[in-house]
Amino acid sequence: MKEAVAADLAAAYHSSVVDDVRKNGFVRQSGRLTIHLAQEFGFCYGVDRAVDYAYQTRKRFPDRRVFLTGEIIHNPHVNDELRRQQIRILTDPGEDRRTLGPDDVVILPAFGVSVGDLASLEKQGCTLVDTTCGSVLNVWKNVVRYAQDGFTAVIHGKVKHEETRATASQALKYPEGRYVIVLDRSEAAVVCDYIRNGGDREAFLARFAGAVSPGFNPDVDLVRVGCANQTTMLMSESLEIGEMVGAAMRDRYPNDDMASHFRAFDTICSATQERQDAVEALLDAEPIDLMIVVGGYNSSNTVNLARICASRVRTYHIAEPGCLLSAGQIRHRPVGAPSTVRAEEVVTEGWLPPTGRVVVGLTAGASTPNNIVGQVIETVERFASA
Ligand code: SF4
């Protein structure tokens, strides 16, 4: 039913402003303001498809209750649009997944659901519409293979992120399956230290409480490991963690065939990589005064785009155009803040130089639709010309 929903999708998410900027070589000039848009930004192929399927599902089953297991993507605007179409989100207050039955339709989001959740929905007899992205399925394939071969999956990801929870659950499909989730280099360094030197097992388990498979024993479960990652992590960090773990294994087992202790696959998705590469290219090519990164505060790939930008130039991560409060004030999430949703927003004064030429760089996470990007462009223009 792709054609049947094309007009609705265009009405909800298209932006003629963004189209113009693209046509104009990703640059927009107005008065003293120049905006450079990264050449890859916004909706990725997985999100595009998931949102499309959600609209098609609503059209295909007009008389049935339609649910999402959770937010389809980490963008408040898109989730609200779906709620408006009477697509209910099971994690919303008042929803109860125990009421689901064979007459209900449930959409699985782009980042997938855990093995346990899928089994429950199947048992309840719901009609399932699976929008799990192919790049996530690719990670799962590797994690399952690790489990089959008795390798523990070391997953670079966020413990509470739906995708990482779903990926970790794949390891438990086999009795030998184990996992440990590391958030960043410093957590990977703790794992590497244990691989090299062993240590206090209880302290390790306390450190990684909630981030290891049931019954995890670092003394035996860190002898054979394979790396994987949440698809939206910072690529450079994922690669570095893979190298760190590989080096620890070589130190610990210098005389062994490494293939029997360590495996790694690059499971960052191409869309994430392209967006990260594009923003680096933009910052290399242009003298940018400030960067604006648009996307949900709980969107992992957006947070990582903001980290890249902030390491090079003054950067504001905003969730929506309304965060641009005035020419003087911007509401934003400080880059590097913990990943809760709104609590940590701050208001900063003087984000836009009041006079003189100003060059603004702009990018958006994979869950940000073009209409939001277009509104940000128009709002910055309005304030710069005031
Ligand atoms: S960010 Fe990558 S893995 Fe996630 S939905 Fe988009 S394309 Fe798929």
Side-chain angles (χ1 to χ4, degrees):
M1 304 192 73
K2 199 171 174 57
E3 282 169 16
V5 299
D8 291 346
L9 286 168
Y13 306 118
H14 175 259
S15 164
S16 55
V17 173
V18 168
D19 284 352
D20 286 349
V21 177
R22 271 189 212 275
K23 271 187 222 137
N24 198 38
F26 293 85
V27 185
R28 183 152 165 126
Q29 182 80 50
S30 60
R32 68 188 185 95
L33 173 71
T34 306
I35 294 180
H36 289 281
L37 184 59
Q39 299 210 2
E40 294 290 343
F41 65 94
F43 269 15
C44 58
Y45 49 84
V47 165
D48 220 18
R49 175 172 164 274
V51 174
D52 193 357
Y53 279 17
Y55 276 68
Q56 291 189 48
T57 303
R58 181 70 282 173
K59 273 261 195 290
R60 171 76 178 77
F61 301 104
D63 303 324
R64 288 169 66 175
R65 299 198 303 172
V66 176
F67 294 89
L68 275 159
T69 54
E71 293 187 342
I72 190 162
I73 54 172
H74 291 139
N75 183 280
H77 169 74
V78 178
N79 290 309
D80 285 346
E81 282 291 325
L82 294 176
R83 287 187 186 99
R84 260 195 286 282
Q85 302 207 18
Q86 307 304 318
I87 296 178
R88 294 161 60 176
I89 301 183
L90 285 167
T91 48
D92 280 352
E95 296 293 0
D96 183 352
R97 57 178 66 209
R98 289 171 303 183
T99 68
L100 296 174
D103 291 336
D104 295 322
V105 181
V106 180
I107 304 167
L108 313 183
F111 28 63
V113 296
S114 70
V115 172
D117 281 350
L118 180 61
S120 302
L121 292 168
E122 284 175 341
K123 202 166 158 200
Q124 286 169 288
C126 308
T127 299
L128 300 180
V129 178
D130 188 356
T131 78
T132 308
C133 179
S135 296
V136 174
L137 294 174
N138 182 44
V139 182
W140 292 0
K141 198 174 66 189
N142 285 308
V143 168
V144 166
R145 205 172 290 142
Y146 293 156
Q148 282 172 321
D149 296 347
F151 279 64
T152 293
V154 176
I155 303 168
H156 177 213
K158 296 179 177 173
V159 171
K160 291 191 176 158
H161 194 285
E162 297 91 328
E163 181 190 318
T164 291
R165 289 208 308 269
T167 296
S169 76
Q170 293 290 321
L172 303 182
K173 279 181 166 172
Y174 288 84
E176 309 78 27
R178 303 282 184 274
Y179 66 81
V180 54
I181 300 166
V182 296
L183 175 65
D184 52 21
R185 288 182 194 86
S186 68
E187 288 200 352
V190 175
V191 171
C192 289
D193 187 49
Y194 208 99
I195 290 172
R196 284 195 178 88
N197 307 310
D200 181 338
R201 185 173 60 182
E202 295 312 317
F204 182 95
L205 292 175
R207 174 78 175 75
F208 288 98
V212 291
S213 45
F216 192 87
N217 178 353
D219 294 325
V220 293
D221 294 331
L222 292 177
V223 174
R224 287 144 63 86
V225 303
C227 291
N229 49 261
Q230 187 180 314
T231 53
T232 49
M233 299 306 275
L234 195 58
M235 183 181 58
S236 56
E237 193 172 40
S238 279
L239 292 175
E240 195 180 329
I241 286 171
E243 282 164 17
M244 287 166 69
V245 177
M249 279 296 181
R250 282 190 291 279
D251 289 349
R252 179 74 178 79
Y253 304 103
N255 301 318
D256 290 7
D257 174 14
M258 251 319 97
S260 64
H261 289 287
F262 176 68
R263 292 184 188 173
F265 291 93
D266 175 8
T267 51
I268 291 282
C269 82
S270 58
T272 295
Q273 189 174 334
E274 283 162 12
R275 278 151 190 71
Q276 292 177 6
D277 290 347
V279 90
E280 296 271 18
L282 172 58
L283 290 163
D284 285 344
E286 304 294 340
I288 302 287
D289 295 315
L290 65 110
M291 276 299 301
I292 296 176
V293 180
V294 194
Y297 295 144
N298 52 350
S299 157
S300 169
N301 78 90
T302 311
V303 166
N304 286 323
L305 287 172
R307 283 173 70 192
I308 292 172
C309 297
S311 69
R312 303 186 53 176
V313 69
R314 184 159 54 96
T315 297
Y316 301 101
H317 174 183
I318 64 171
E320 57 196 0
C323 291
L324 302 167
L325 300 174
S326 67
Q329 288 188 322
I330 189 168
R331 194 178 72 229
H332 63 106
R333 176 188 189 274
V335 180
S339 55
T340 48
V341 181
R342 276 210 177 258
E344 76 281 6
E345 270 188 326
V346 297
V347 173
T348 296
E349 307 273 343
W351 65 279
L352 188 66
T355 55
R357 299 198 65 76
V358 58
V359 182
V360 174
L362 181 63
T363 189
S367 46
T368 308
N370 278 359
N371 64 323
I372 296 293
V373 177
Q375 288 166 25
V376 168
I377 292 171
E378 289 177 316
T379 310
V380 176
E381 280 182 341
R382 184 156 47 84
F383 289 146
S385 64

